[in-house]
Amino acid sequence: MPDTPAQGRPREKVLISPRYLAASLPSTHQHFLDVFAQEAGWSAHTDDSSLTANSPCGRITIRHDQSAVGRAPHLVISARSDEDAPERWRTSASGAVPIEFLSTLLGTLAAELDADPDHVVYGIGAEPGMFELLVDIDAWNHFDASGLSGFISRDGQAAVIGRPPDSSAPPIHGDACIAWHVAASPDDLGHLWDISFTQQAPDFLMHAVVAKTLDPRPILRSTAFPFPAAVVPLVTIEHVPSPRPPSAQPSPAEPARSPEPKRTPKTR
């Protein structure tokens, strides 16, 4: 899977593992944001290097900046009580975030914003209790030390890191407001991508991304999406066979074959 999709070739489905290394180019993120804004009915405008989408209520802004380099976030979600009010919380993404993670992030945000805007902006109406995360102990190790806690992948290439406000650990990215940080940093490449959430960011938004990251299953993706060539040696890519065309109907002189018995899917 090269950096750009092959021209003239049929699109295929592939399984990519581990999913946290299923990188996507920032240009794909911008295209996705553009499509998201159109389908969700958000207003959008562009300038020389950025695309900005605003929610219908005017309290959520998503900005994609093509000029961002290195670890600087190129996609930032900001929430305010109104268009001119100070920022209440922020979620930012940098690097080659898997497009499926970005889709989960924006889809979850839009759905909850439609259902309960005050819950999204202020946390009003949030249900008590903690979210349940299903963690595969064969794929992730839990840690709690030095003022940080979370999970590190067994291969050491990805992490989910929580930093409470009173933590003695140095601020993440030098920003003491960041409470959660999800990242992939392969040994051969260094920083690949990260998503950060500030302290007042909704728990449901953080949970959606963390659950997506911890899921041990491969990512199913179309080859229509460009894939960074530098990451190809680090992942396993399995091509999914195309569905077979329906078989020809038996002739009147040929008895129909008995269908194969259905198998019950295995449960995990």
Side-chain angles (χ1 to χ4, degrees):
M1 298 173 65
D3 287 322
T4 55
Q7 299 298 323
R9 294 183 182 178
R11 296 176 179 178
E12 300 177 272
K13 294 288 188 179
V14 292
L15 292 168
I16 308 173
S17 59
R19 60 171 45 212
Y20 44 78
L21 297 186
S24 297
L25 299 173
S27 57
T28 301
H29 300 166
Q30 185 187 48
H31 176 71
F32 179 83
L33 177 58
D34 190 20
V35 173
F36 164 83
Q38 295 179 39
E39 294 184 347
W42 292 35
S43 61
H45 66 272
T46 60
D47 56 26
D48 292 339
S49 66
S50 66
L51 168 63
T52 303
N54 293 292
S55 64
C57 66
R59 295 189 286 181
I60 306 294
T61 298
I62 307 174
R63 179 182 174 86
H64 185 285
D65 188 352
Q66 294 187 60
S67 65
V69 296
R71 297 194 178 191
H74 63 268
L75 189 141
V76 178
I77 304 172
S78 300
R80 294 174 169 81
S81 56
D82 60 59
E83 295 181 23
D84 300 320
E87 181 180 83
R88 288 186 58 84
W89 59 261
R90 178 179 71 257
T91 295
S92 58
S94 70
V97 178
I99 191 62
E100 295 80 7
F101 292 17
L102 188 62
S103 174
T104 294
L105 178 66
L106 299 190
T108 302
L109 173 65
E112 190 64 27
L113 192 64
D114 287 343
D116 190 347
D118 287 340
H119 183 194
V120 176
V121 177
Y122 304 106
I124 297 174
E127 294 295 330
M130 299 182 67
F131 288 103
E132 182 181 16
L133 282 174
L134 300 178
V135 182
D136 186 344
I137 60 174
D138 293 328
W140 295 87
N141 292 320
H142 179 262
F143 72 91
D144 187 352
S146 303
L148 301 174
S149 62
F151 301 92
I152 297 178
S153 62
R154 285 292 182 96
D155 59 16
Q157 299 187 104
V160 174
I161 303 171
R163 182 185 183 275
D166 58 353
S167 173
S168 60
I172 298 172
H173 281 335
D175 185 350
C177 291
I178 294 177
W180 285 95
H181 184 71
V182 185
S185 300
D187 293 338
D188 294 344
L189 296 179
H191 174 263
L192 182 60
W193 64 266
D194 67 76
I195 301 176
S196 297
F197 302 85
T198 58
Q199 293 166 11
Q200 295 187 10
D203 287 342
F204 68 83
L205 203 59
M206 176 275 297
H207 178 267
V209 173
V210 170
K212 193 80 172 180
T213 306
L214 296 178
D215 191 332
R217 295 173 296 179
I219 284 284
L220 177 64
R221 180 182 295 172
S222 167
T223 54
F225 288 101
F227 192 79
V231 186
V232 172
L234 307 180
V235 298
T236 299
I237 300 177
E238 178 184 350
H239 289 262
V240 178
S242 300
R244 293 182 178 180
S247 58
Q249 294 295 323
S251 65
E254 180 183 5
R257 297 178 181 178
S258 299
E260 292 186 5
K262 294 183 178 180
R263 296 179 173 86
T264 303
K266 294 181 179 179
T267 57
R268 298 183 63 209

